[in-house]
Amino acid sequence: MSSRVGIIGGGLTGLTAAYRLAKKGFSVSVFEEAKEPGGLASSIDLGNVSLERFYHHIFTSDQHLLDLCRELGLEDLVEWFEPKNAIYIDNHLFPFTSPMDLIRFTPISLTSRVRTGLLTLTSRFIRDYVSLESQTARDWLMKRAGRDSYHKIWEPLLASKFDEDADLVSATWIWNKFKLRGASRGKNISKEKLGYMRGGFAQLITGLIQGISEAGGTIRPGCRISGIRRLQDGRLSLDGFPEEAFDKVLFTGSPQQLAALEAELPAEYRKGLTALKAKGNICMTLELDRSLSHFYWITVAQRDIPFVLIIEHTNLVGLDDYASHIVYLSRYVDHQDGLFKKSDREIESIFMDGLTRVFPGFNKEWIKRISLARALYAQPVITRHYSRLIPPVKTPVDGLYLASMAQIYPEDRGMNYAVRLGLSASDEIMRDL
Ligand SMILES: Cc1cc2nc3c(=O)[nH]c(=O)nc-3n(C[C@H](O)[C@H](O)[C@H](O)COP(=O)(O)OP(=O)(O)OC[C@H]3O[C@@H](n4cnc5c(N)ncnc54)[C@H](O)[C@@H]3O)c2cc1C
């Protein structure tokens, strides 16, 4: 009989690992607490297309994801677009797409503009990030881009992404952001390219689910696992499914969620998992009868606005497949924060007031539909010397493995790295079987 692997979490990491293991002949079961698999990359149905609950695009350097798309026969659906970006600061919208836009960016001095431009463009050539690990993003940006650039652009940005943890964020995190966006510009630095799967990334999730089922694996949505137990024969069982025994179990939720499970985790290990910090996300999707602007990505660098991003999806991919203009409003927030605890209606009202500040002509009557998504675990906080804090894939519990966004480093979390992690975790499990 083939070895049995239980996978907790049906996001992209768990599904990729399950797909790889099932294709290699292992017996795989995926347990997902939500009603549908997909995790942060799950979607809502808009009729003829799906739309991600949280905005998603990909970069030209996302090789693991592109390879998976090819394997699933989805590569022809990936299309590349040139985004138009802007920054909202000092109550104004400033275009922020090309190097010329930076030169015209008057809220900071000319010297700071030049230094900021050089920093963002040259970051992709920094290979040795180890020296950045000991510095905070704050200190590195102040030193390299100038004080006014830091206070005007980066400080509000870091604060809106990481809240009260902003000053703890490592220089490695911001360096990697510059690097990724720089690499997506290729040789022509004035043109960035972002990718999207025509019809929605839900097709990637469906493709994986289909591949897993065809290879004999099972996916069980609506199954929250609260504990992992050791059986007398040494194998593992999952609470709620005592009749099933697994040779190996892979957990793909957050480290904090693993620490909360009833399992034979050593106290020190559990402490290390709980010490890792993360932010939640609140994301509102608006289906509008008209466009807000011609920008795809507006970074809101003003702390009195309740969201950090205004993303007009249909300004990137075009309107052809959509019955409405799609706009996301996104805010990263601690899940203990009061905002996270507010009702959908309260958040709606706060966000609408913010949107009216950015676009004074905006009228609620333009809205055809509003949806709100919340994720408790959306963004690991990459602190200084993060490489020392990352838990390994193999946990101290024999037969139990962890593959979570918190282990993506020095890159920041993203679908490409979820695929990479799912593949490397399944390789490690196969080596041990
Ligand atoms: C706002 C936002 C925007 C993003 N934009 C982009 C983008 O533009 N491009 C990009 O590439 N990436 C983007 N990402 C990141 C991308 O979505 C993630 O990196 C990726 O989907 C993570 O997959 P995962 O499987 O590792 O984690 P998750 O998707 O979090 O999956 C983990 C799963 O485990 C389940 N689970 C946890 N505990 C249990 C339990 N005890 N029992 C059962 N199930 C459990 C959860 O329900 C969840 O479904 C974005 C993320 C967010 C939040």
Side-chain angles (χ1 to χ4, degrees):
M1 221 181 80
S2 64
S3 303
R4 294 203 67 196
V5 182
I7 296 183
I8 305 173
L12 203 45
T13 305
L15 292 176
T16 304
Y19 174 71
R20 162 66 69 97
L21 288 161
K23 295 271 280 185
K24 293 280 181 186
F26 296 96
S27 165
V28 181
S29 296
V30 181
F31 299 83
E32 166 55 51
E33 68 172 316
K35 281 196 223 110
E36 291 156 24
L40 296 175
S42 64
S43 299
I44 55 172
D45 193 5
L46 288 189
N48 49 340
V49 286
S50 309
L51 181 75
E52 296 69 35
R53 286 194 166 83
F54 303 93
Y55 44 95
H56 276 73
H57 58 235
I58 57 170
F59 299 95
T60 51
S61 54
D62 284 350
Q63 207 47 55
H64 300 280
L65 186 88
L66 292 167
D67 288 346
L68 179 64
C69 291
R70 188 169 319 111
E71 192 175 329
L72 295 172
L74 299 169
E75 62 179 321
D76 291 345
L77 295 177
V78 176
E79 292 181 14
W80 297 97
F81 305 93
E82 282 174 25
K84 287 196 169 57
N85 307 325
I87 289 197
Y88 183 75
I89 191 169
D90 292 345
N91 299 314
H92 281 92
L93 263 182
F94 291 88
F96 216 77
T97 307
S98 68
M100 275 316 288
D101 290 335
L102 179 61
I103 298 297
R104 292 190 204 107
F105 187 68
T106 49
I108 57 175
S109 70
L110 184 61
T111 322
S112 290
R113 279 175 250 168
V114 173
R115 289 176 71 190
T116 304
L118 283 174
L119 178 63
T120 50
L121 291 174
T122 54
S123 284
R124 69 168 143 154
F125 303 110
I126 301 176
R127 297 260 178 266
D128 174 21
Y129 63 86
V130 178
S131 62
L132 298 180
E133 276 213 312
S134 58
Q135 304 176 53
T136 60
R138 177 180 189 273
D139 291 347
W140 189 63
L141 288 165
M142 276 216 203
K143 205 162 54 197
R144 301 287 300 268
R147 274 178 180 271
D148 63 339
S149 169
Y150 173 74
H151 288 302
K152 277 283 179 190
I153 308 176
W154 310 113
E155 187 181 26
L157 270 185
L158 285 164
S160 49
K161 188 127 192 180
F162 295 102
D163 252 14
E164 77 274 16
D165 293 329
D167 285 353
L168 303 179
V169 173
S170 147
T172 324
W173 184 82
I174 194 81
W175 155 74
N176 189 66
K177 283 280 162 213
F178 293 155
K179 184 168 160 259
L180 189 66
R181 302 301 282 229
S184 232
R185 286 177 187 271
K187 288 206 174 79
N188 186 347
I189 56 163
S190 66
K191 287 201 168 102
E192 184 183 20
K193 278 213 172 98
L194 298 179
Y196 188 71
M197 184 171 280
R198 179 130 333 263
F201 286 109
Q203 296 160 101
L204 177 62
I205 302 297
T206 313
L208 283 169
I209 294 172
Q210 216 172 318
I212 295 165
S213 306
E214 281 166 11
T218 54
I219 297 175
R220 306 184 199 182
C223 293
R224 186 176 176 276
I225 304 299
S226 55
I228 304 170
R229 294 183 196 273
R230 175 84 50 199
L231 297 169
Q232 283 200 331
D233 65 4
R235 289 188 293 168
L236 295 167
S237 87
L238 306 180
D239 279 5
F241 301 88
E243 68 290 356
E244 299 179 50
F246 295 101
D247 299 283
K248 306 285 177 199
V249 170
L250 173 65
F251 186 85
T252 67
S254 70
Q256 294 80 354
Q257 285 168 317
L258 175 59
L261 288 192
E262 272 193 48
E264 53 186 54
L265 301 173
E268 265 307 293
Y269 177 71
R270 209 186 275 270
K271 208 168 126 197
L273 297 180
T274 346
L276 293 166
K277 287 171 169 281
K279 293 290 151 202
N281 183 271
I282 298 175
C283 185
M284 182 174 283
T285 307
L286 302 172
E287 293 166 52
L288 302 178
D289 71 4
R290 69 199 73 183
S291 176
L292 284 178
S293 76
H294 67 285
F295 296 114
Y296 166 55
W297 191 274
I298 300 175
T299 303
V300 180
Q302 210 166 294
R303 290 185 79 170
D304 55 347
I305 304 288
F307 38 77
V308 51
L309 293 168
I310 306 169
I311 298 157
E312 194 160 337
H313 174 74
T314 35
N315 280 349
L316 182 73
V317 305
L319 255 184
D320 292 357
D321 297 337
Y322 302 86
S324 314
H325 298 260
I326 309 287
V327 175
Y328 293 100
L329 305 178
S330 165
R331 165 76 185 265
Y332 288 90
V333 67
D334 205 286
H335 65 89
Q336 308 286 4
D337 190 284
L339 186 66
F340 212 93
K341 296 194 182 111
K342 288 194 188 299
S343 70
D344 285 9
R345 280 200 157 251
E346 285 171 303
I347 294 177
E348 198 180 301
S349 153
I350 294 169
F351 276 26
M352 288 305 104
D353 289 349
L355 194 59
T356 313
R357 296 245 340 255
V358 181
F359 294 103
F362 168 73
N363 188 323
K364 281 188 200 157
E365 284 172 13
W366 301 357
I367 304 173
K368 292 158 82 178
R369 192 158 71 133
I370 298 188
S371 343
L372 192 79
R374 303 172 197 231
L376 285 173
Y377 183 69
Q379 172 69 55
V381 180
I382 306 297
T383 48
R384 289 191 313 132
H385 299 295
Y386 192 74
S387 58
R388 298 179 197 165
L389 307 176
I390 304 172
V393 167
K394 208 181 283 192
T395 75
V397 177
D398 190 30
L400 177 63
Y401 299 76
L402 169 68
S404 135
M405 283 192 302
Q407 290 152 298
I408 311 273
Y409 187 76
E411 303 87 0
D412 193 23
R413 55 99 169 112
M415 292 188 291
N416 181 56
Y417 305 105
V419 170
R420 184 180 75 182
L421 184 61
L423 292 176
S424 62
S426 57
D427 283 346
E428 192 152 346
I429 290 172
M430 284 190 281
R431 271 197 301 275
D432 291 349
L433 274 168

